[in-house]
Amino acid sequence: MSQLASKFIRLKTMIGGNREKYGYEDTFGMPREEQAHITRPGRANIRIISELEFAINLSEAENGRYDGVLEEALDYLLSCMQEQGVLTNQACEKAEDILSPMEAAAKEYKLILASHAHIDMNWMWSFDETVAVTLATFRSILNIMEQYPDFCFSQSQAAVYKIVEEYDPDLMEEIKKRIAQGRWEVTATAWVETDKNMPDGESLLRHIQYTKEYLSQVWGVKNFDIDFSPDTFGHSGNVPEINCFGGVKYYYHCRGNKRKEILYRYQAPSGNEVLAYREPNWYNGAITPHIGAGLIEISRRSAGLKTGLVIYGVGDHGGGPTRRDVERAMEMMDWKIYPAIKFGTVREYFLEAEAVRDKVPVVKEELNYFAPGCYTTQSRIKRGNRRLEAALLDAESMAALAGKTAGFRFEKDRMEKAWQNVLFTHFHDILTGSCVQESREHAMGLYQTSMACANTQLQNAMRVIGEQIDTSSILVDIDAYNSQSEGAGAGYGIENFTGVPSTERGSGRTRIFHIFNTQTRKRSEVVELTVWDWTGDLRRLQAKDCTGKEICFQLLDKELQTYWDHKYIRVLVDVTVPALGYTTVVLSQKEAENYPVYLQEREQVSSVFDNYVLSNDQITVEIEAGSGRIRSLKGRETQEELIAEGKTAGLNFIETETITSSAWNIGRHLKTMPVDRCVKMERVTQGPLRESIKAVYKTADSTAEVLYILDKHQPSVRMELTIDWHESGSEIIPVLDYKIPVAYRTSEYRYDIPAGTVVRKERNNDVPALRYGMAVRESGDCAVLISDSKYGYRGTDNTLALTLINSSTSPDPYPERGIHKINLWLGISSGDPRATEELAAAYNHSLFYQPSNSHHGTLPMEESLLETDSDSVVISAVMPSADGALLVRGYETAGRRAEAVIMLREKTSSAVQTDLFEQEIPAAAEVDGCAVKVHVEPYSLFQVKIR
């Protein structure tokens, strides 16, 4: 330890009321001294001690340039303490005079004080409390602004401004005046301070889009260049790409970076980057005499930038800066041997930081991981989010199709509100599940209202198209007097946020169905149709395509089923649906060829309890007869086994350590037990289009039903899980996962992340993925696990796992008890990222259908609006523009400059590449008749506007 430091410590500890720190301490809340009723030193003592602390660090940074005056000042003060036992105001002033040669050097450093109120959306409380917190906090800020003319305030989150608009319009007008003055800085480029790992890329883009549109149009805000994400639990590698695409240049965060840098350039795989600041202290803090002490070190970690940023204000539950913060800051502005201090904004800091942009390091990695339990906890919220994201995108795609083919009017305002409700739930304590029951209930309510909007938009778009399809050539046998089918099935098949209403509109024994595909590639799949109140002979049922050709079908029900006062049957049909388009299927009763004779054909010997084998043209799956678990998975072409020899894939009950478990964390695994107590197993369906096996398990106090389904054309077996979970944590925390031990050696796993994919090394903890995890290999088939509602994958020790349920006890003691519906797909992939992305997208965006009837129209019975072709580009959204154009957005997955060809239904007049807000950018979009060719940079987002 240097002699100066020793003397400083001796002086400081001689002054009563001081307390030495032994590590970093948050300044959030009441200081320890006040809590212990310790009288603090006088202002003059605090001032000189704080100046000396800063000055010692300053001299060290200047290679000891000021050691002489520092030693003189310290010796003088130590002698005063020895002679008088106290430091008088006069002694402190004289010591400051001794240090005066340092004043100019000290004032070269600057601290910008940006006050802020961290307002958690419904973290430990209900929405009405969030509203109260927001309004009360902002009223306090305005009161402080009235008293202190130089005081500034920064506030993120469009949602809090929406709260003010809806609940206190008078307050809104006062805030707008302060925004216009430049004293109230809006740091919002997201609807809420969102999680960055689980919302998909389209959601993160909507955060930027809807925030800018709302705040500029309603509040008059002009600057949208700061992503203020202090408490976000990690940051996917594509955050810079998404931000840059939305015009956001700066990134403020606290969690998720173990590196030493404070100021750095955060670069996406595309090469696009934002200037990022990692909070070295905390985003909830106070103005204390210590704010300048670490500035020299912060400057060293910020490429020598001599300006520091102090974010202060009581947070989490709002509150914001206090008058004491402001008064202390104003007092410290007069300190001579201290950095220059000013009230300011976050944007001011970043504008000054631009001076050293070329000198700061470049960080090219994910800023993860924090709180891996949050990828699973409160799984109902997770399911709601995934299903709503899919539903809203499907509704937009179908509205675009309907608008171009049938003049459908897109309900922009209603859809925007539905999106905003979903974006609200992306707050980093809601989607993450680190919240209480009230938070979950509010989120589920928002999902329900948004799903009602998405389903209505989607159904109306399909209905309008169906009404324009010419089906007059189809002969029907309508008997209006005896028909009761029309209107049947109202509200059927849309529970758990899946499906779309498909109310019956036909009658008689000939039924017409229009089947729709919202994806931009042609799909050959098995579709399940529900036929209502059909009075024909099921033995004579037939299915035909739009050309009148018979197609393969399979009955799921051998007799009529009951739903309220109507009867139905379910029929599988084998269809190929054009890209972003539709086709038509007709079910009817064919003429009898003969009168059947029935003999006893059932097996006359005992059943054999062999393993079950499910097989189609893509894969073969073998399920153990005893355990009901998958023991073999092979591709039909290669016949290569993907399940490790002697092992099985299936559910596992895991006991985890209580002390390391919470909503935020999956605890240390203590014991893993395969769920293999299969109490019932049976074949459910067997036919040309679908085979299925049901296995029922008991595990601890819970039950799990797994329905294995293999459809024609599919490279994956679908597992419909119904889990009645009765577990809760006490001595251990119960966790349920699904594991696949792979037969090949791997240490890398590919996952999809917002607007792209990433390959990660094996890690014995959960990592985030949007829809799939894949065990990577250099060549050959790869095992892939896809989910419709889960995010927490784990790849380690040649095993790919997905956590399904985390029964954490904090902060919600019972987050998961009840019935869970989960769909998983276990299958094979070539390893190609585009193909795997599109496979996962298809499983999360099913084909839809709408019943119809016979009528004249202008549209053919099969049509495609838009199809894309590219080796490495994935389309993430197709939507109607406000001015009648078509917007197509996507991203490149393979890390090479790519070409995407968009084929349209009719000739297009123009196409341009644009940014998120439809402003043209200098990138090529070539038009050739009905085709538009777009060049996409490696790993980059793109958007093309087509007229």
Side-chain angles (χ1 to χ4, degrees), residues 433-563:
S434 50
C435 56
V436 292
Q437 181 178 340
E438 289 87 346
S439 309
R440 181 182 72 235
E441 289 173 349
H442 182 253
M444 301 312 291
L446 293 177
Y447 290 142
Q448 290 176 46
T449 56
S450 292
M451 183 58 85
C453 176
N455 269 346
T456 301
Q457 181 80 2
L458 180 57
Q459 186 182 31
N460 282 342
M462 291 189 290
R463 174 184 56 79
V464 168
I465 294 171
E467 289 172 350
Q468 297 299 316
I469 297 173
D470 188 354
T471 54
S472 59
S473 61
I474 301 172
L475 298 178
V476 295
D477 53 343
I478 298 175
D479 181 358
Y481 182 78
N482 292 313
S483 174
Q484 63 174 24
S485 60
E486 185 167 0
Y492 170 82
I494 60 173
E495 65 277 359
N496 295 308
F497 300 123
T498 57
V500 67
S502 302
T503 308
E504 181 62 75
R505 297 303 176 199
S507 61
R509 289 181 294 276
T510 299
R511 302 293 177 89
I512 303 169
F513 297 89
H514 302 307
I515 302 171
F516 295 86
N517 174 15
T518 62
Q519 302 298 286
T520 60
R521 288 184 183 260
K522 179 174 65 176
R523 294 165 69 178
S524 295
E525 292 184 17
V526 172
V527 176
E528 180 182 308
L529 304 176
T530 303
V531 186
W532 294 93
D533 295 319
W534 197 69
T535 58
D537 185 345
L538 290 178
R539 298 168 300 178
R540 294 157 56 193
L541 185 67
Q542 65 179 352
K544 294 182 179 180
D545 65 14
C546 61
T547 66
K549 178 183 176 182
E550 285 198 33
I551 57 176
C552 185
F553 73 94
Q554 179 181 335
L555 276 171
L556 286 180
D557 300 306
K558 303 302 182 184
E559 58 186 25
L560 294 173
Q561 308 295 305
T562 301
Y563 182 78

Side-chain angles (χ1 to χ4, degrees), residues 126-142:
S126 57
F127 177 70
D128 57 310
E129 191 166 339
T130 297
V131 171
V133 164
T134 300
L135 301 181
T137 297
F138 290 176
R139 177 57 63 189
S140 297
I141 301 305
L142 292 174

Side-chain angles (χ1 to χ4, degrees), residues 660-673:
T660 53
S661 295
S662 67
W664 293 270
N665 287 296
I666 301 292
R668 182 173 61 93
H669 287 196
L670 304 177
K671 185 178 182 181
T672 299
M673 295 158 284

